[in-house]
Amino acid sequence: MILNYITWNVDPVAFSLGSLQVRWYGICWAVGFLLGYILMSKVYKKEKMPEWSMDSLLIYMLVSTVVGARLGHCLFYEPEYYLPHPLEILKIWEGGLASHGGAIGILIGLWLYVRRFNKSTKKQKGEKQHITYLWLLDRIVIPVCLVGALIRLGNVFNSEIYGTPTTLPWGFVFVRGNEQFFNEAGELLPCHPTGLYEAFFCLVAMALLLWMYYKRGLGDKRPGLMFGTFLIIIFGSRIAIEFLKNVQVAFENNMMFDMGQWLSVPFVIVGIVMIVRSFRHSM
């Protein structure tokens, strides 16, 4: 008989340095930002951006992503706990990050970055002197897809944010963290590895965006098209995949659409608007 599921019992701790535990999730974050930095550096070099501006962009991205993701989790998913205990928000090491909050944080951080870049007097002759917010959004989405894929892989290593039971051959039996999906014999049931599904769509989006940027030059020809495409693929797939996910917080039990889906809808709408706008204002 062919095995029709995958047993997943990976220790989320990759290794320890004394009392310090280095988790696969953290490694995925670090590798994601490193590869994203390299990828965006190639874009910046192609666009003749100043070298210092890439390091500045990394700082803005790191801070805005972490702060936004943490606040997003605390305010969107557990406000009843964190609002009366605001200092608990600072305990990021205890876990709790939300991708929608991270997306909002990035949008704010990049707006601040563009303002600083355009006011800077450090630019030299032959370097790009001015950028628009939309110019940056159309390009930053490429490495964001890669980072997103690796973060979702980190969720799989943590055996978290998995889906409901499935009979599909790629179902994962999550030995760690699964406290509710058992059959009558008390055996763990295979579940949808929804983290891998989301990682897959991130990579599909990245491949398409790379083609649009390098092969078709759409970053300049149709401003906003790449950003809009990113929003529709990433958040549209999120809406669909949420139907397969296990409920993350108790208040979602009686909801027709969960919090992740409701938060994704505005991003998809903005994506549609950006694509329509890009065709009306193409260069």
Side-chain angles (χ1 to χ4, degrees):
M1 180 178 178
I2 299 176
L3 187 68
N4 62 351
Y5 59 83
I6 299 167
T7 299
W8 189 256
N9 190 24
V10 176
D11 189 338
V13 178
F15 58 89
S16 298
L17 297 173
S19 59
L20 175 64
Q21 292 185 332
V22 179
R23 303 174 70 91
W24 287 111
Y25 184 74
I27 292 175
C28 287
W29 266 80
V31 172
F33 270 92
L34 174 61
L35 295 179
Y37 178 89
I38 294 172
L39 186 56
M40 196 62 185
S41 293
K42 294 182 181 297
V43 172
Y44 263 37
K45 184 176 181 179
K46 178 178 180 295
E47 300 281 357
K48 295 182 172 54
M49 288 286 286
E51 290 186 10
W52 61 265
S53 63
M54 187 61 226
D55 292 333
S56 179
L57 176 64
L58 176 63
I59 294 173
Y60 274 83
M61 285 293 291
L62 275 171
V63 174
S64 61
T65 301
V66 174
V67 172
R70 180 58 176 168
L71 289 176
H73 171 80
C74 297
L75 300 180
F76 294 150
Y77 290 94
E78 297 185 81
E80 71 285 349
Y81 173 75
Y82 285 104
L83 289 179
H85 309 91
L87 292 181
E88 294 295 308
I89 296 176
L90 300 177
K91 297 181 179 181
I92 194 170
W93 57 87
E94 293 183 355
L97 300 173
S99 58
H100 294 91
I104 295 171
I106 288 173
L107 290 173
I108 296 173
L110 292 180
W111 180 75
L112 295 172
Y113 168 84
V114 170
R115 291 190 62 187
R116 180 189 175 190
F117 176 87
N118 289 334
K119 290 180 179 180
S120 174
T121 59
K122 295 191 290 183
K123 291 163 287 197
Q124 305 297 318
K125 185 178 180 180
E127 297 176 338
K128 190 176 287 292
Q129 301 296 309
H130 182 273
I131 61 174
T132 66
Y133 185 44
L134 193 53
W135 179 93
L136 182 58
L137 291 178
D138 276 336
R139 288 151 179 80
I140 198 68
V141 290
I142 299 175
V144 165
C145 286
L146 179 58
V147 176
L150 285 165
I151 289 175
R152 287 311 182 201
L153 181 60
N155 292 139
V156 176
F157 275 110
N158 273 350
S159 294
E160 61 186 2
I161 316 181
Y162 52 84
T164 53
T166 179
T167 57
L168 294 171
W170 56 80
F172 274 43
V173 173
F174 289 96
V175 177
R176 300 169 185 264
N178 188 347
E179 300 177 353
Q180 57 182 311
F181 296 128
F182 298 87
N183 60 20
E184 294 180 355
E187 300 169 328
L188 288 169
L189 293 172
C191 298
H192 287 285
T194 48
L196 294 183
Y197 297 171
E198 291 190 60
F200 170 77
F201 279 102
C202 285
L203 295 178
V204 168
M206 185 179 72
L208 178 58
L209 292 169
L210 284 170
W211 175 79
M212 294 171 71
Y213 178 70
Y214 283 106
K215 297 298 183 181
R216 304 295 295 177
L218 295 176
D220 292 320
K221 294 178 182 177
R222 297 192 184 279
L225 179 60
M226 292 177 61
F227 178 54
T229 300
F230 165 84
L231 291 177
I232 291 175
I233 294 177
I234 298 301
F235 292 100
S237 63
R238 175 70 182 270
I239 291 173
I241 293 171
E242 286 291 320
F243 286 112
L244 302 175
K245 277 188 181 178
N246 174 32
V247 172
Q248 302 300 308
V249 288
F251 71 79
E252 293 179 316
N253 282 317
N254 298 317
M255 296 173 66
M256 179 178 297
F257 301 108
D258 64 23
M259 180 61 74
Q261 290 171 314
W262 285 117
L263 292 173
S264 295
V265 169
F267 288 97
V268 173
I269 293 174
V270 171
I272 294 171
V273 171
M274 295 307 301
I275 289 178
V276 172
R277 179 184 180 279
S278 72
F279 280 93
R280 289 182 175 177
H281 301 85
S282 60
M283 298 179 63

